[in-house]
Amino acid sequence: MVTIARSDDLAMVGANGGGWAAPLGTAQPLDPRNAPTSPWLALGTISDDGLTTAFDEDSESFTGWGQSAPFRTVITSSVRTFQLTLWETRRPIVRSIMFRQDLTALDPDVEGIVTFAESATVTPDRRSWIFDIYDGTLWERIYVPEGEVTDRGDDTAKQDEMRGFEITITAYPDAANNTIYRSYLAPELDEVNS
């Protein structure tokens, strides 16, 4: 009988996590084991649906004359998106993201009241993003140097539902032509090779 190699140390559950946003062009922190600090702002509580990373790719296949299988396939489009629901809807950075507002536009007046208007003309609102995924002592960090909210869910205020802002962020290429940078704690080689 064949022995199948299995190791729960090589599996990961997205048991917990967090997100941060910063002005476009903000570099990721040097040590991914620490929470980001200013100018990074925490997105607060994310719904129990967690973080979904979507891979949307298109390709073109080329099949030779007289053949029934392609001999070459070219990826013509490769888009990465991140979807999450932000539950701390009163957090200024969350309002800034949802309603495309500069943070300074959300400063309260002397009476503590915040007032802003949503424009009929949408302007680009690119930011830098960090998403951390935790499973006990295991972690993974995703850094998006240039990303923009390209889809927003409905804003529902209902008695038996937590109000949340559902957003989808699309990653764009940076100056080095990279859309995402990933960091994680590498497994021990003897775990991988056994």
Side-chain angles (χ1 to χ4, degrees):
M1 175 182 250
V2 175
T3 301
I4 299 172
R6 293 187 175 103
S7 176
D8 64 347
D9 292 344
L10 298 177
M12 187 170 180
V13 174
N16 202 347
W20 293 262
L24 180 64
T26 303
Q28 68 174 315
L30 295 176
D31 189 346
R33 294 170 295 186
N34 296 324
T37 58
S38 184
W40 293 97
L41 296 174
L43 302 177
T45 304
I46 295 170
S47 79
D48 55 356
D49 290 330
L51 175 70
T52 301
T53 304
F55 299 80
D56 183 11
E57 294 188 330
D58 294 322
S59 62
E60 183 69 38
S61 296
F62 300 94
T63 304
W65 191 4
Q67 295 178 325
S68 59
F71 72 91
R72 173 97 191 262
T73 300
V74 176
I75 303 297
T76 57
S77 174
S78 182
V79 179
R80 298 293 179 271
T81 59
F82 300 89
Q83 184 180 28
L84 62 159
T85 301
L86 306 173
W87 271 354
E88 294 185 22
T89 58
R90 293 177 36 123
R91 188 178 282 266
I93 186 63
V94 171
R95 291 256 167 172
S96 170
I97 290 165
M98 183 64 178
F99 299 110
R100 294 187 185 100
Q101 298 292 316
D102 187 272
L103 272 173
T104 59
L106 302 176
D107 288 339
D109 64 16
V110 294
E111 296 180 15
I113 297 171
V114 175
T115 305
F116 66 90
E118 294 182 62
S119 176
T121 304
V122 177
T123 57
D125 185 20
R126 292 187 182 192
R127 302 172 194 235
S128 295
W129 304 83
I130 286 179
F131 303 107
D132 282 354
I133 303 167
Y134 308 114
D135 182 7
T137 60
L138 301 176
W139 55 268
E140 181 173 353
R141 172 162 286 174
I142 302 167
Y143 167 62
V144 181
E146 292 194 31
E148 181 175 23
V149 175
T150 53
D151 194 24
R152 291 164 172 79
D154 294 339
D155 178 11
T156 303
K158 191 176 171 193
Q159 183 175 353
D160 61 349
E161 252 181 59
M162 176 70 75
R163 185 176 181 201
F165 295 154
E166 181 183 319
I167 59 171
T168 301
I169 300 158
T170 300
Y172 300 126
D174 64 5
N177 202 34
N178 296 317
T179 55
I180 298 168
Y181 295 82
R182 293 179 182 265
S183 305
Y184 62 94
L185 187 62
E188 297 292 329
L189 287 179
D190 58 343
E191 291 178 20
V192 177
N193 294 327
S194 61

